[in-house]
Every structure is written in C-alpha cells, then in structure tokens.
Amino acid sequence: MDGAFLALTPETLPARLGSLDELTGRIGADAGKWKVSEVGDGNLNLVFVVTGDRDAVIVKQALPYVRLVGEKWPLPLKRSFFEFHALTRQASRAPGMLPEVFYFDEAQALIVMEYLTPHVILRKAFIAGEQPPNAARDLGTFMARTLFLSSDLHMNARQRKMDLALFADNAELCDITENLVFSDPYYAAELNAHTSPQLDGLVAELRADVELKVEAQKLKQMFVTRAEALLHGDLHTGSVMVTADDTRVIDPEFAFYGPMAFDVGMLIANFWMAYFSQDGRDIGAEKRDQMRRYLLQSIEDIWRVFVGEFSMLWSSERKGILYQQCVLANGDDNAASEKALADLLRQLLSDALGFAGVEIHRRILGLAHNADFETIEDRDMRATCEARALRFGRAIILDRSRFGHLQEVNRLAAEFQNKVSS
Ligand code: SR1
Ligand code: MG
C-alpha cells in the first residue's frame, strides 16, 4: 500500500488490502467476500482476523499511540518494524514456534501472519482451568534457543553488534518497560492502580521499603545495560498461544538486546501469578489444587528444559567470542567449560528471580494489570491473592542469590500461599 499511515478498520480493510497477492493468494481472490473482525485485546495494537473462502490470516497494525491509554500517549509505528525483524530472527532460531509471517508493510506498520487456530492464549487457558501439557517444555526450548543463538556465545561478533544497533532504536518500547516495570510500582506514579482500599497498607509498606527499592533499581540497571541477547521483551502468558500439542510465541514488539534473565523471569512470574490467583477461580478446591501443582511443576519444567537445551547448545553451538573453546575446551578435560556454564546458569537463575519479582509487582501496582487477578470479581479475595503474590515477589527480589533450585522457590511460594493473608 502506498501513502501515509492510516489505521485500518474492518470496513476499509478489504478495499485497502484486497489487491495484495500475499493475501488474495492465501485467503481468497474476492476481497468483497472477506469477513473481517477486530479481535485485539492487548494494550497497544489493532488485530484483525481476515477470513476468505480459502483460509484466514491475522493482520496486525500498530497505532501511533498506546491503545490502552489513548492518543495522549504517542508511540512510534516503528515498533512494527522491530516486531517483524524479531519474528523472522526468532523463527530461524526456534523453528515452528512463531506464527509464520506472510507480508510486512513498514509505512502502514502492518504485519500479515498466520492465523493460529485452534490455539488459545495461554493466560486464558490458565484462567479457564486448563493445563496445556507441552507449554512448559516448549517455552524452555524457545527461550534457550532464541537467547543462546542471538548472543555472543554463538553469533558472529560483527553480525551481533549490527543487530544490537538495529534493535537499539526500539527505545520507546524499552522506555515503557523501564518505567512501567522497574520504577512506577515503587512510587505513586500517575498511571498506577491497585486494589484499594484493601492493599493500601501493603502498598505503602512496599513503597517505603528501602532494600526493595534499591534492589529493583539494580535490576533496572541490569535491564538497561546488559545487552546479552535478543530478548522477546514482553514474554508473559498473554504472548503465548497453545493447543494440546503446539506452542507459539507471539508479539515480540518489545524486542531488544538485554539480559537473558529478563525473558526467563517475566515468563515464570506469570506462572506464579496464575498460581496465586487460584483462590479466586470458581473451579472447586480439588481442581484449584491440581492447577497449583501443575503451575509450580511447569515452572520447574521450564527451567529444567531451558538448562538442558542451553547446555546442549553450549557444547555444540558455542562458536562466538565468549567462553571460547580454545580457552575452555569441551573435550575430555571439560572441567573449566562445565564450571563456566554452571556459574552462568546460577547467575541467570538469580537474575531471573529478581526480574520475576518486579514483574509480579508491576502487574499488581502499576498500569498494566493482568487478567489472572483482574477477573477475580470479589475484591477482598482479589486483594488476598495479590497480597500473597506481592510479598512473594519482594522475597524473591531480596533473596534471589540464595536459591540454587526452583523447587526451593516453589516451596517459598507455597508458604506464602498457605500462611499469609492480606
Ligand atoms: C503501555 S503498554 C503496557 C504493557 O503492555 C504490554 O503488553 C507490555 O507488557 C507493557 O508493559
Ligand atoms: Mg503484547
């Protein structure tokens, strides 16, 4: 499409995209017969399902502002460019785990991609009490592959630096995370909200907590300065779509070079929030217990699979400028290589726990809440669930270097679940 940016509507989409071979060839030649519905329920963009007589596709278009807030918060269209480049890079590193991209129009900030069906958003599956069997395994694999293979452990150094420079321009999306995740929860920022008055006392306590605020700022420093790997950048359970045997990771518009532990921490934080929300789910005590066990086990599985895949890549794909094999051989005498890997993974787990804690805090104290808690209509119950999560988040931020295994962290989660009330 030529011309200046213009937001699509269900009414204008067929006329505006109806002559694109990438769409007509896939969904049906007669655009007059296309059915278009806008299904976007995220915070930022328009998302259309376009169905023709052959097939259906997704058309995702960025808006020049934050949809959740409105035009008073402008946001550049170029996030669509970064999403396109992240989708294609991650697809080459974790094949079959992203939606296939059919077409990209930079000026119109739109991406045409595979319509994933019968997939559902992982967060919605959890809220419905479902237990997708392979999500944890697949997400562990996805993170290990996309993070390792985009880092200086693997990539050609020049190529990685060029990618670092390319994604550095995604500064406005980084700015959202820098403020919304790492700063706003820890002071009375304008756009913050929490379950009030139930949580008022605890929120004041956390915002007066010197140790917590300092650690949150150290984590922000790490997020801003440690350009280790190409992150998804917004890897929560709303960015994952599943069936019983397929997992896809969507929406990498926040992609940039940052600390590997950020993706890991954000993802497992969202499993812990699903865990702490169970008392608010109307599915019966037995099913709630099952869900809790499933969610904690999933966190351990994500990490176990991540470690296994990362270690395998460490042996076979460590071709970059870090921990070179000429210095740390993989061969018979591999003690140095194994120690380096063990140290790196231990640090990664510790950092991931810190990031998980701030992600939990921002989803309860900041602007962008999540449906796990928001769908609990009884506000006293919601506050009880949120208070447990907040206290758990504080504990894993402050004690993050103490844990060697996720089983220990899950035992702590169970303690907060069982003992602490709001
Ligand atoms: C203003 S955007 C708020 C949040 O929505 C996105 O999904 C990211 O999580 C961001 O922090
Ligand atoms: Mg998103």
Side-chain angles (χ1 to χ4, degrees):
M1 279 187 300
D2 294 328
F5 173 84
L6 185 60
L8 293 161
T9 68
E11 293 71 35
T12 61
L13 188 147
R16 291 185 60 202
L17 303 187
S19 57
L20 286 176
D21 292 345
E22 291 82 354
L23 272 87
T24 53
R26 201 163 283 280
I27 63 179
D30 186 353
K33 291 189 184 156
W34 293 356
K35 290 196 181 66
V36 185
S37 47
E38 208 275 311
V39 297
D41 62 357
N43 295 330
L44 299 179
N45 308 297
L46 297 170
V47 182
F48 302 91
V49 179
V50 186
T51 311
D53 44 22
R54 284 196 200 157
D55 205 350
V57 298
I58 290 288
V59 175
K60 178 172 178 180
Q61 187 178 37
L63 289 165
Y65 53 86
V66 174
R67 184 177 184 170
L68 172 70
V69 176
E71 294 185 26
K72 72 176 181 182
W73 187 342
L75 199 61
L77 297 170
K78 67 185 175 189
R79 65 185 186 274
S80 184
F81 170 91
F82 297 112
E83 176 163 356
F84 168 70
H85 284 286
L87 281 168
T88 48
R89 279 161 178 70
Q90 291 186 330
S92 73
R93 292 169 184 145
M97 293 210 59
L98 293 102
E100 191 181 342
V101 174
F102 302 132
Y103 177 75
F104 171 56
D105 181 332
E106 188 174 345
Q108 295 300 322
L110 72 83
I111 303 174
V112 179
M113 61 188 123
E114 184 180 359
Y115 174 49
L116 297 171
T117 183
H119 300 64
V120 293
I121 293 284
L122 183 57
R123 192 190 305 287
K124 291 184 181 169
F126 288 165
I127 290 170
E130 290 162 21
Q131 301 179 8
N134 298 327
R137 178 198 68 188
D138 294 345
L139 289 166
T141 305
F142 172 85
M143 291 193 295
R145 295 193 64 81
T146 56
L147 297 174
F148 188 101
L149 295 174
S150 64
S151 76
D152 268 324
L153 292 166
H154 172 76
M155 277 182 88
N156 167 278
R158 178 171 183 75
Q159 195 59 47
R160 194 199 79 97
K161 285 180 171 68
M162 286 169 67
D163 262 16
L164 177 73
L166 181 88
F167 284 94
D169 192 28
N170 203 10
E172 291 80 3
L173 278 277
C174 290
D175 177 75
I176 289 180
T177 306
E178 286 149 11
N179 287 309
L180 261 50
V181 176
F182 293 101
S183 291
D184 291 6
Y186 302 105
Y187 77 103
E190 193 190 338
L191 295 173
N192 282 349
H194 64 261
T195 308
S196 179
Q198 291 89 338
L199 290 181
D200 289 355
L202 178 54
V203 173
E205 204 181 292
L206 293 172
R207 289 189 180 142
D209 188 327
V210 172
E211 263 192 291
L212 174 64
K213 292 200 292 185
V214 171
E215 290 309 315
Q217 297 321 290
K218 287 184 195 166
L219 288 158
K220 180 173 182 175
Q221 182 179 4
M222 201 189 307
F223 178 83
V224 171
T225 59
R226 198 191 287 173
E228 251 175 2
L230 181 63
L231 307 189
H232 177 285
D234 197 28
L235 190 51
H236 51 77
T237 47
S239 296
V240 180
M241 296 189 76
V242 293
T243 65
D245 49 20
D246 192 39
T247 307
R248 306 291 187 100
V249 177
I250 63 171
D251 285 0
E253 64 201 311
F254 283 77
F256 83 113
Y257 265 82
M260 296 184 186
F262 184 74
D263 274 0
V264 179
M266 181 182 277
L267 183 68
I268 60 178
N270 279 268
F271 280 69
W272 275 316
M273 284 188 275
Y275 169 84
F276 284 112
S277 73
Q278 287 306 309
D279 275 352
R281 306 262 84 90
D282 195 14
I283 53 177
E286 195 179 330
K287 192 76 201 298
R288 280 196 292 274
D289 275 345
Q290 279 174 17
M291 273 306 283
R292 279 193 276 258
R293 280 197 294 277
Y294 163 84
L295 289 161
L296 295 189
Q297 186 59 50
S298 294
I299 292 168
E300 293 173 25
D301 290 346
I302 289 171
W303 181 247
R304 179 179 49 75
V305 172
F306 177 87
V307 168
E309 185 75 12
F310 197 97
S311 304
M312 199 265 290
L313 295 166
W314 178 270
S315 298
S316 62
E317 295 295 330
R318 205 169 83 249
K319 298 170 178 168
I321 54 172
L322 294 183
Y323 301 97
Q324 290 165 299
Q325 303 209 21
C326 53
V327 183
L328 307 171
N330 279 332
D332 294 339
D333 178 17
N334 59 2
S337 161
E338 287 192 358
K339 176 170 169 31
L341 174 62
D343 286 0
L344 185 153
L345 289 169
R346 171 102 196 187
Q347 187 63 48
L348 207 159
L349 176 61
S350 164
D351 297 341
L353 293 175
F355 289 128
V358 295
E359 166 69 3
I360 291 172
H361 286 168
R362 73 93 168 215
R363 293 291 184 188
I364 299 171
L365 305 177
L367 166 71
H369 288 216
N370 67 26
D372 306 72
F373 295 125
E374 294 300 295
T375 50
I376 302 173
E377 280 174 20
D378 176 338
R379 291 175 64 83
D380 290 338
M381 173 58 79
R382 189 197 306 170
T384 299
C385 296
E386 290 175 327
R388 291 169 178 149
L390 286 171
R391 292 186 197 278
F392 171 70
R394 176 186 183 277
I396 60 175
I397 290 171
L398 295 186
D399 286 343
R400 61 188 185 277
S401 58
R402 181 168 71 79
F403 299 100
H405 301 280
L406 272 163
Q407 287 88 333
E408 298 163 36
V409 193
N410 277 341
R411 276 197 289 278
L412 184 71
E415 278 175 32
F416 279 99
Q417 169 61 30
N418 294 330
K419 287 190 196 147
V420 182
S421 68
S422 72

